[in-house]
């Protein structure tokens, strides 16, 4: 099964929204949204609005599920790279116990490196996938180790000498483990990627292993390979080390299960109790059929107010797109904002029938598009600290086909981005025309939320495969093309007069705001997240670049223009209707590529439009961005939940918002760390 990619990561895009409305009854002025800033990262906080509207049982459910969400953090560190846990623990030992002078530039560089490792859940950048370059020397690192009490270092990785001898090259040798996920054409994707999903296995061996397993006649196939490491044993044979109770990552999984058991006792509905039971069964058995059963029940539950994700879900971290990183989130429905997605869901068939794709690839019957707007209460694993703002699950194509999917827009996260970006000068720098700036200021927030709704709720769920096409034919281009398909569907729908008719937008200016920003981001401003000399790697960024560059070229300066004014380059949309037509044409082609599994056409599109960066424009964008002193990436601290008791009886659950990012990371490493340094 090829994952249907489904996260729309928040980007610098939102920084364009300089001023947005504040929801009534909140304390935006007094709440400190941004709590830390280092390198290219800012750490924000989100508010769990309306937590007090939950019943005591619902609050308890949030509490238990939150604990379960925090218990898998180590799994992700180990999945990302085999030495991430010993590296993190060694750095934390120094951070905790170093007896030397901390008021030096080198110590500050060390601390910054540790913060980056925490943020990325490992030594590779969470977005670019490149290994971090430490801003301190190997000699200084030796001095740090020497001045830290021995007993603080992890003792489960051999002697201290063995530990240091292993992690030093991992930290300092730029040639080693240089990239976490490599998607470059023409090389062995596994041997050139540092992720820990495969151990001593080549791409050809892995592909052959899974090809032999797949039954192509099965209409309901399990997600082969999803929940285990593929390793080569001493006998030279390949075997899967399944992530389950008693298997690889068992100690962390057992903790997760113990909290899920408590959660089941206060489940929000009978069906929720049932699927929490299925999830527990799956964690115990490692049997992907159990996981499918869980997903089928989960996707059908529209009744519970409190909901969650907890498991091995997304496959972006595996260059072959088979193995899933561990992630979690706990949330509850935002009843007021969900009225918006209810309207979209109710009209899903209309949008499908009117989409600009080849009629044979349209879904004749759009099933079970359930969409809601949620408030997240906790983020964990691969959703933390960087998090998506929309999620569409489950991933298995046949479950989506037969049972539908659940799609969410995470509005309290979007709100935190908007609040934190107020008055940051981004729009003034990059948006040339005042009318575009005004539209973005006025409608940007609504446009962003609707784009996410449409992308998640309609885009990923739209279209169908031709008979005999499995869905994994696009290989390493699959995620990019899938994101492009969902984005194009959203962009095309957003400017449909039907949106006004349905009352979703008061004016098509909302779509104009989104179009102008999307194209500017895809052609220019997302380059703020790319290091000089590098190309675009990450699937969502490739997708945005592909769409914007393709439309620019095919609009032949009549739809989108690049204007140079005062030495600055600007991107201006001059024909919004023409742009919508181009979105439609490209959507039609990408849907055909997916439906027919046309690998070569997909590869050509991505490689032509989605990857290569113009170095001059890149430099200009970086220079202008540097002047603003903004961070292109953001992530979050979690709130803390505490049980309030009267004797033994729980009477309430309190939510608090700590402000010290490093303290939260150290707390998690102390209290939610259940795996050995070697797995
Ligand atoms: Zn998506």
């Amino acid at each position: 099964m090829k994952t249907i990619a489904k996260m729309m990561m928040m980007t610098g895009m939102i920084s364009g929204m300089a001023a947005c409305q504040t929801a009534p009854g909140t304390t935006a002025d007094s709440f400190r949204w941004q709590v830390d800033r280092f390198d290219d990262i800012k750490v924000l906080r989100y508010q769990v609005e309306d937590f007090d509207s939950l019943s005591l049982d619902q609050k308890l459910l949030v509490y238990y599920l939150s604990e379960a969400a925090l218990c898998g953090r180590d799994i992700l560190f180990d999945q990302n790279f085999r030495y991430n846990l010993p590296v993190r623990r060694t750095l934390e030992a120094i951070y905790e116990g170093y007896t030397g002078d901390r008021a030096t530039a080198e110590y500050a560089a060390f601390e910054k490196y540790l913060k980056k490792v925490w943020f990325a859940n490992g030594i590779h950048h969470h977005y670019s996938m490149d290994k971090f370059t430490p801003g301190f020397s190997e000699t200084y690192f030796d001095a740090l180790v020497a001045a830290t009490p021995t007993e603080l270092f992890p003792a489960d990785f051999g002697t201290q000498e063995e530990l240091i001898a292993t992690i030093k090259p991992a930290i300092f040798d730029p040639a080693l483990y240089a990239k976490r996920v490599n998607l470059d054409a023409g090389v062995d994707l596994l041997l050139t990627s540092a992720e820990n999903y495969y151990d001593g296995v080549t791409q050809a061996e892995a592909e052959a292993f899974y090809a032999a397993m797949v039954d192509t006649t099965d209409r309901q196939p399990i997600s082969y390979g999803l929940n285990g490491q593929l390793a080569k044993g001493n006998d030279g044979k390949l075997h899967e080390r399944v992530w389950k109770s008693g298997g690889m990552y068992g100690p962390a999984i057992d903790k997760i299960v113990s909290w899920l058991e408590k959660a089941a006792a206060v489940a929000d509905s009978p069906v929720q109790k049932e699927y929490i039971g299925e999830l527990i069964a799956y964690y115990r058995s490692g049997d992907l059929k159990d996981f499918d059963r869980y997903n089928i029940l989960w996707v059908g539950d529209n009744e519970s107010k409190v909901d969650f994700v907890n498991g091995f879900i997304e496959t972006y971290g595996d260059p072959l797109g088979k193995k899933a990183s561990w992630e979690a989130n706990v949330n509850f429905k935002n009843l007021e904002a969900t009225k918006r997605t209810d309207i979209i869901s109710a009209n899903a068939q209309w949008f499908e029938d009117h989409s600009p794709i080849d009629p044979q690839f349209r879904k004749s019957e759009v099933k079970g598009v359930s969409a809601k707007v949620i408030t997240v209460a906790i983020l964990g694993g691969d959703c933390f600290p960087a998090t998506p703002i929309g999620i569409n699950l489950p991933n298995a194509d046949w479950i989506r086909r037969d049972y539908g999917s659940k799609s969410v827009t995470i509005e309290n996260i979007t709100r935190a981005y908007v609040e934190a970006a107020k008055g940051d000068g981004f729009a003034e720098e990059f948006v040339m025309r005042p009318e575009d700036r005004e539209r973005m200021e006025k409608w940007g927030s609504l446009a962003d939320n609707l784009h996410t709704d449409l992308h998640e709720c309609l885009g990923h769920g739209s279209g169908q495969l031709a008979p005999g096409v499995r869905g994994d034919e696009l290989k390493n281009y699959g995620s990019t093309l899938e994101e492009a398909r969902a984005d194009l569907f959203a962009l095309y729908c957003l400017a449909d007069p039907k949106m006004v008719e349905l009352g979703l937008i008061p004016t098509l200016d909302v779509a104009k705001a989104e179009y102008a920003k999307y194209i500017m981001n895809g052609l220019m401003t997302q380059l703020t997240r790319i290091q000089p000399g590098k190309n675009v790697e990450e699937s969502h960024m490739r997708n945005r670049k592909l769409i914007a560059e393709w439309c620019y070229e095919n609009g032949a300066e009549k739809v989108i223009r690049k204007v140079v004014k005062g030495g600055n380059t600007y991107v201006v949309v001059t024909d919004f209707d023409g742009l919508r037509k181009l979105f439609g044409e490209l959507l039609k082609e990408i849907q055909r590529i997916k439906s027919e599994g046309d690998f070569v056409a997909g590869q050509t599109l991505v490689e032509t439009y989605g990857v290569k960066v113009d170095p001059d424009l890149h430099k200009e964008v970086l220079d202008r961005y540097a002047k603003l002193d903004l961070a292109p990436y953001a992530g979050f601290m979690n709130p803390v939940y505490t049980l309030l008791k009267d004797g033994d009886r729980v009477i309430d659950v309190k939510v608090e918002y700590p402000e010290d990012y490093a303290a939260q990371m150290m707390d998690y490493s102390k209290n939610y760390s259940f795996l050995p340094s070697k797995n």
Side-chain angles (χ1 to χ4, degrees):
M1 279 291 97
K2 177 71 197 166
T3 291
I4 304 230
K6 65 217 40 66
M7 294 202 223
M8 179 178 157
M9 308 297 289
M10 215 50 204
T11 69
M13 283 159 72
I14 199 83
S15 325
M17 305 307 105
C20 289
Q21 61 278 41
T22 300
T26 57
T27 53
D29 290 340
S30 54
F31 191 77
R32 206 173 136 226
W33 296 94
Q34 182 171 329
V35 290
D36 208 341
R37 166 76 205 274
F38 46 91
D39 209 49
D40 56 356
I41 301 286
K42 59 187 169 191
V43 180
L44 311 178
R45 300 187 300 169
Y46 57 91
Q47 289 187 333
V48 190
E49 289 139 20
D50 291 330
F51 182 70
D52 280 331
S53 72
L54 300 178
S55 69
L56 179 56
D57 269 359
Q58 288 171 330
K59 287 179 180 176
L60 272 173
L61 180 58
V62 167
Y63 176 82
Y64 295 139
L65 290 170
S66 294
E67 292 293 314
L70 297 176
C71 290
R73 180 167 173 259
D74 281 359
I75 296 176
L76 181 68
F77 270 83
D78 194 73
Q79 287 180 316
N80 282 344
F81 174 53
R82 67 172 60 209
Y83 300 135
N84 274 338
L85 285 174
V87 167
R88 188 192 82 200
R89 286 168 180 162
T90 301
L91 300 176
E92 286 170 348
I94 295 167
Y95 183 76
E96 196 180 357
Y98 175 58
T99 54
D101 183 5
R102 294 187 182 222
T104 68
E106 277 202 298
Y107 186 82
F110 162 79
E111 195 176 285
K112 180 164 100 175
Y113 181 79
L114 173 56
K115 284 184 174 182
K116 286 162 68 172
V117 169
W118 281 328
F119 191 90
N121 296 289
I123 62 170
H124 300 87
H125 194 280
H126 72 288
Y127 215 86
S128 76
M129 307 287 168
D130 292 325
K131 195 166 88 167
F132 294 131
T133 307
F136 53 96
S137 69
E138 236 175 302
T139 321
Y140 182 69
F141 182 71
D142 290 336
L144 289 172
V145 171
T148 299
T150 306
E151 66 272 17
L152 293 178
F153 290 100
D156 57 356
F157 200 85
T159 65
Q160 188 174 320
E161 288 68 34
E162 285 163 345
L163 170 73
I164 301 299
T166 303
I167 68 167
K168 255 171 63 170
I171 297 173
F172 290 101
D173 183 346
L176 267 185
Y177 322 117
K179 185 141 235 156
R180 174 152 72 81
V181 183
N182 182 32
L183 296 176
D184 291 349
V187 293
D188 187 307
L189 298 180
L190 298 189
L191 298 184
T192 53
S193 298
E195 40 65 30
N196 193 26
Y197 294 114
Y198 302 87
D199 184 8
V201 181
T202 67
Q203 183 178 350
E205 286 171 331
E207 284 174 347
F209 181 87
Y210 287 109
M213 205 180 260
V214 174
D215 171 4
T216 50
T217 62
D218 189 352
R219 292 266 295 156
Q220 303 189 338
I222 56 165
S223 303
Y224 293 100
L226 189 77
N227 66 333
Q229 184 194 56
L230 186 63
K232 193 179 273 182
N234 292 331
D235 55 0
K237 290 206 178 101
L238 301 188
H239 63 280
E240 270 192 343
R241 301 178 65 209
V242 177
W243 305 323
K244 61 171 189 168
S245 183
M248 193 175 180
Y249 304 145
I253 289 172
D254 288 342
K255 285 286 176 188
I256 295 166
V257 165
S258 72
W259 287 110
L260 289 176
E261 283 173 332
K262 289 190 189 341
V266 288
D268 223 0
S269 62
V271 65
Q272 185 168 68
K273 187 179 179 129
E274 204 182 331
Y275 63 74
I276 293 176
E278 290 288 353
L279 183 59
I280 292 170
Y282 160 63
Y283 272 137
R284 288 194 172 132
S285 69
D287 184 344
L288 287 163
K289 284 212 164 61
D290 288 338
F291 185 53
D292 286 344
R293 271 192 283 277
Y294 154 77
N295 275 312
I296 289 167
L297 289 173
W298 176 79
V299 81
D301 176 19
N302 295 311
E303 168 195 351
S304 306
K305 185 172 182 187
V306 176
D307 201 351
F308 69 98
V309 176
N310 186 305
F312 302 102
I313 309 290
E314 302 289 354
T315 60
Y316 300 102
D318 172 6
L320 302 187
K322 290 191 182 304
K323 306 195 169 293
S325 60
W326 190 88
E327 70 173 41
N329 118 8
V330 182
N331 63 77
F332 55 91
K333 199 188 271 190
N334 176 336
L335 297 174
E336 184 55 35
T338 295
K339 289 174 187 162
R340 189 180 75 218
T341 50
D342 283 346
I343 295 173
I344 294 173
S345 301
N347 290 277
Q349 190 68 52
W350 189 93
F351 284 107
E352 182 77 9
D353 294 344
H354 291 78
S355 84
I357 64 173
D358 191 326
Q360 64 172 315
F361 301 136
R362 283 190 198 132
K363 262 198 186 121
S364 52
E365 196 192 338
V366 178
K367 248 185 215 155
V369 178
S370 96
K372 59 186 176 179
V373 179
I374 58 168
T375 301
V376 288
I378 207 90
L379 303 166
D382 217 357
C383 294
F384 177 79
T387 178
I389 54 168
I391 302 176
N392 182 320
L393 290 172
N395 281 333
D397 276 330
W398 69 266
I399 300 181
R400 301 169 72 86
R401 181 190 71 213
D402 296 347
Y403 298 92
S405 67
K406 230 194 244 182
S407 171
V408 301
T409 301
I410 310 178
E411 204 149 291
N412 62 327
I413 293 294
T414 309
R415 169 144 189 263
Y417 280 114
V418 168
E419 293 291 343
K422 276 185 177 173
D424 66 6
F426 183 90
E428 289 71 16
E429 177 61 40
F430 289 105
V431 184
M432 187 182 83
R433 294 191 308 198
E435 68 256 42
D436 284 320
R437 269 205 300 275
E438 277 158 29
R439 276 194 293 260
M440 288 180 194
E441 277 186 25
K442 192 160 182 195
W443 303 117
S445 190
L446 176 62
D448 273 343
N449 281 322
L450 277 168
H451 180 100
T452 309
D453 297 340
L454 294 165
H455 172 111
E456 301 293 350
C457 163
L458 301 185
H460 281 305
S462 71
Q464 64 181 4
L465 302 179
V469 175
R470 288 189 315 275
D472 64 356
E473 288 83 357
L474 303 175
K475 294 185 190 168
N476 46 319
Y477 299 104
S479 293
T480 298
L481 292 165
E482 177 56 24
E483 290 312 313
R485 203 176 67 85
D487 261 1
L488 287 164
F489 200 98
L491 290 163
Y492 188 82
C493 290
L494 190 58
D496 199 306
K498 183 83 175 176
M499 296 289 289
V500 181
E501 192 190 303
L502 291 173
L504 289 165
I505 54 175
T507 154
L508 288 172
D509 278 2
V510 178
K512 288 184 179 172
E514 185 69 12
Y515 279 23
K517 193 188 63 173
Y518 193 93
I519 294 297
M520 173 182 78
N521 186 52
L523 285 178
M524 278 184 62
T525 49
Q526 72 166 352
L527 294 176
T528 54
R529 320 176 98 199
I530 306 283
Q531 302 274 319
K534 302 265 184 203
N535 282 326
V536 179
E537 304 277 352
E538 197 278 334
S539 303
H540 297 78
M541 290 182 72
R542 283 186 166 185
N543 133 51
R544 293 183 202 115
K545 182 165 160 57
L546 188 171
I547 291 174
E549 297 279 2
W550 188 93
C551 291
Y552 175 67
E553 189 175 300
N554 286 277
E557 291 283 333
K558 292 192 189 69
V559 176
I560 300 162
R561 284 180 56 214
K562 281 187 187 163
V563 180
V564 180
K565 205 173 140 188
N568 286 340
T569 309
Y570 298 91
V571 170
V572 183
V573 177
T574 50
D575 177 359
F576 286 98
D577 291 336
L579 182 55
R580 181 165 186 250
K581 268 181 68 186
L582 290 172
F583 285 150
E585 281 172 38
L586 184 57
L587 174 57
K588 184 176 181 195
E589 171 61 2
I590 290 181
Q591 181 63 54
R592 183 200 67 75
I593 289 171
K594 174 170 174 161
S595 293
E596 296 180 350
D598 187 345
F599 175 82
V600 174
Q603 178 182 41
T604 306
L605 260 188
V606 176
E607 293 289 345
T608 308
Y609 297 103
V611 180
K612 284 176 223 88
V613 176
D614 168 358
D616 295 332
L617 180 64
H618 191 191
K619 183 178 184 315
E620 180 197 318
V621 169
L622 289 177
D623 289 348
R624 288 164 68 188
Y625 191 71
K627 278 192 311 196
L628 299 173
D629 193 28
L630 303 174
Y633 299 96
F636 291 87
M637 282 185 69
N638 272 322
V640 172
Y641 298 91
T642 317
L643 300 182
L644 298 181
K645 290 185 177 174
D646 179 9
D648 282 344
R649 202 167 54 92
V650 177
I651 51 167
D652 204 357
V653 180
K654 184 173 66 164
V655 54
E656 288 171 297
Y657 303 98
E659 300 197 359
D660 188 336
Y661 166 69
Q664 180 156 82
M665 293 297 110
M666 288 299 282
D667 171 51
Y668 284 1
S669 294
K670 275 204 156 49
N671 297 312
Y672 296 94
S673 186
F674 304 110
L675 293 183
S677 297
K678 267 185 198 163
N679 286 282

